[in-house]
């Protein structure tokens, strides 16, 4: 039990049939999440972060579907479960928090009723016990006067308060894993830190693991234990957060870090990666990053790189392949 | 809340005064009442004397206000054709129209809502697609054609239901109602379906598109992520959010059902105010026509008021206090 990771994603492929062919927003992504761990999932918009989250919890919008790989929760496969069994896992064992707290709550239903229905869907408790737990949850996420606010409607809460309610809803049935899809993007900067701290505290107290989907490197640095970098639906690099952030290996991660402003570096000039992420319809042959990579070698245009250990992390880049290392690095020099 | 109702009542009064002005103008511009009353033998002096007595020499606005004031107290004058006070004539016919409208509204709303929700949930199902295609017929066929077709099918060929009239009635609080007897109810089925078919398909298509819209929202996705059952999502969440826009249209549709029962009532010879109006038109019975116009105005205004109040019952964001 202890050596089985809480969540194992291997070679996950998500495909969408469209008129011109088949799009693949998630392409052979694999990672693990251990109990109580916080894994960051970073990447540009369209890199497949949210789609990964949706695939794990089984909420990919039709006509998209998982066409390859598997998702295991505590060792059991969950990606091929019948809808009704998957529904019992959602909210109970894996919960999800979405980006916009303003639209995540049904405006016509009191927050109390939304909490009670979630609790009673997953736990065999009476209505009054569920109501009591709903108030306790609201208190726990820091809603003042929870006993009266439980009967309020979502529009009577501010944005930050609503995201607290959303967290309470996600935690209602004590899930083992929370997928937080950009939980603070829609909030004021001042509130963002509070919500992140709250999420971190609640999960630590309950031993719940988190997959934090974000494009904010600051949030990644402060919050996560490990980080996975996605590019055009593929995993570029995954490893301990400190290792990936301080000594990134994949050229894309290197570029990403260089384009993140820091207080210690040069504040006047912010470097950027030339070009933009390829459209899903036009992913180049070989490495998806080859068009923008300054160090691409011949092989990068031929074969898709596979994840290999580099220092503390795992990196999908031919530059670290022993064969390439010997004949290229000595010519071009190491990372700048 | 009270202030809102009072404000809306004030607006309603303004609307009714405008409608009243139109129905008042009918007297002014359709035919000459003095001519009608005096006949061909009258002298110019007789005319002048009658005009003075009827107040026709007063300014238009004074005449209008007098008309409106009388109308408000239920005095619409005397029907040219029946020789009875118009208020009495209309009140006598109103229950027939209202019970027919009510039955057809119940038919249209309940079936329209159920089918709308069904076709939205089973968006790609065969039956749902079949219902959607068939509903186009309901939207596009004119009412009288549907009525005639139903008579042909169920009265002439199958002989199951009567083709005209109101059947037996039973008195309740002094009002004769057909809905209370089996025979009357049987007579009502065909006209009620005819009257409600168009509204039913309209409501169904509206409910479907609203429901599909709601099912795409974030809170439905979040409800799914919380593991709620499909049933709880569809009926506990999505349906409630579908209601607000649907109620607006449904309310107005009910107004149309009452107001435009004219065609159905003439096809089925249903003795309601619609038939009364058609007969009044052919006899140029202006007091009846103008009173009918005002009645329709009152019905629409009342329904609108009820619809506005229903919003408050459904959508907490509209409570005036806001908390």
């Amino acid at each position: 039990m202890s050596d089985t990771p809480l969540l194992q994603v291997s070679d996950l492929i998500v495909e969408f049939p469209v008129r011109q062919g088949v799009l693949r927003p998630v392409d052979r992504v694999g990672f693990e999440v251990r109990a109580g761990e916080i894994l960051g999932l970073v990447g540009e918009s369209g890199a497949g972060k949210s789609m990964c989250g949706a695939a794990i919890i089984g909420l990919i919008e039709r006509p998209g579907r998982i066409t390859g790989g598997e998702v295991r929760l505590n060792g059991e496969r969950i990606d091929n479960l019948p809808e009704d069994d998957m529904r019992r896992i959602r909210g109970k064992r894996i919960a999800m928090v979405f980006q916009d707290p303003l639209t995540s709550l049904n405006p016509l239903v009191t927050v109390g009723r939304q909490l009670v229905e979630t609790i009673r869907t997953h736990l065999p408790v009476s209505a009054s016990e569920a109501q009591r737990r709903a108030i306790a949850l609201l208190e726990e996420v820091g809603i003042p006067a929870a006993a009266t606010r439980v009967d309020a409607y979502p529009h009577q809460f501010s944005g930050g308060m609503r995201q607290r309610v959303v967290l309470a809803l996600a935690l209602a049935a004590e899930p083992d894993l929370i997928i937080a899809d950009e939980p603070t993007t829609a909030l004021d900067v001042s509130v963002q830190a509070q919500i992140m701290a709250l999420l971190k505290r609640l999960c630590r107290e309950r031993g719940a693991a988190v997959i934090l989907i974000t494009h904010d490197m600051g949030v990644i640095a402060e919050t996560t234990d490990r980080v996975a970098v996605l590019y055009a639906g593929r995993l570029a690099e995954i490893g301990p957060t400190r290792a990936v952030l301080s000594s990134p290996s994949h050229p894309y991660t290197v570029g990403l870090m260089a384009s993140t402003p820091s207080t210690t570096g040069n504040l006047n000039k912010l470097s950027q990666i030339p070009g933009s992420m390829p459209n899903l319809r036009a992913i180049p042959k070989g490495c998806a990053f080859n068009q923008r990579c300054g160090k691409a070698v011949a092989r990068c245009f031929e074969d898709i790189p596979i994840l290999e250990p580099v220092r503390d992390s795992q990196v999908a880049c031919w530059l670290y392949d022993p064969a390439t290392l010997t004949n290229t690095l000595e010519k071009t020099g190491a990372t700048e | 809340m009270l202030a809102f109702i009072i404000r809306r009542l004030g607006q309603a009064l303004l609307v009714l005064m405008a409608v009243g002005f139109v129905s008042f103008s009918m007297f002014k511009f359709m035919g000459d009442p003095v001519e009608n009353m005096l006949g061909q033998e009258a002298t110019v002096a007789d005319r002048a004397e009658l005009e003075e007595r009827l107040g026709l020499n007063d300014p238009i606005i004074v005449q209008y206000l007098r008309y409106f004031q009388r109308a408000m107290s239920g005095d619409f004058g005397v029907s040219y054709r029946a020789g009875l006070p118009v208020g009495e004539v209309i009140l006598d016919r109103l229950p027939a129209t209202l019970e027919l409208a009510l039955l057809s509204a119940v038919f249209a709303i309940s079936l329209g809502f159920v089918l709308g929700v069904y076709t939205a949930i089973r968006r790609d199902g065969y039956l749902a697609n079949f219902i959607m295609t068939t509903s186009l017929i309901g939207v596009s066929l004119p009412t009288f054609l549907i009525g005639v077709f139903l008579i042909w099918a169920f009265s002439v060929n199958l002989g199951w239901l009567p083709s005209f009239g109101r059947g037996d009635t039973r008195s309740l609080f002094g009002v004769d109602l057909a809905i209370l007897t089996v025979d009357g109810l049987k007579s009502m089925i065909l006209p009620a379906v005819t009257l409600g078919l168009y509204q039913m398909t309209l409501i169904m298509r509206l409910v479907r598109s609203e429901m599909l819209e709601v099912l795409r929202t974030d809170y439905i996705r979040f409800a799914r992520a919380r593991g709620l059952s499909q049933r709880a999502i569809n009926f506990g969440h999505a349906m409630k959010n579908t209601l607000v826009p649907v109620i607006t249209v449904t309310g107005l549709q009910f107004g149309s059902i009452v107001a435009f029962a004219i065609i159905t009532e003439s096809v089925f010879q249903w003795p309601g105010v619609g038939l009364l109006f058609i007969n009044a038109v052919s006899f140029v019975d202006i007091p009846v026509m103008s009173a009918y116009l005002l009645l329709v105005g009152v019905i629409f205004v009342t329904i609108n008021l009820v619809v506005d109040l229903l919003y408050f019952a459904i959508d907490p964001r509209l409570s005036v206090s806001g908390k």
Side-chain angles (χ1 to χ4, degrees), chain A residues 121-174:
Chain A
T121 298
H122 298 294
L123 308 170
V125 295
S126 68
S128 56
E129 166 66 10
Q131 176 80 5
R132 203 190 53 71
R133 286 193 189 200
I135 295 170
L137 273 165
L138 287 179
E139 265 164 13
E140 209 180 334
V141 296
I143 305 274
T148 54
R149 299 289 270 162
V150 73
D151 292 322
Y153 288 94
H155 72 278
Q156 293 164 324
F157 291 87
S158 67
M161 284 295 159
R162 266 188 249 191
Q163 197 63 309
R164 287 171 192 261
V165 173
V166 169
L167 285 182
L169 277 164
L171 294 167
E174 307 269 334

Side-chain angles (χ1 to χ4, degrees), chain B residues 119-121 123 207-216:
Chain B
T119 49
I121 295 174
R123 187 165 30 149
V207 167
R208 174 178 182 273
S209 64
E210 284 299 329
M211 183 96 174
L212 286 179
E213 190 79 16
V214 170
L215 285 175
R216 271 197 292 272

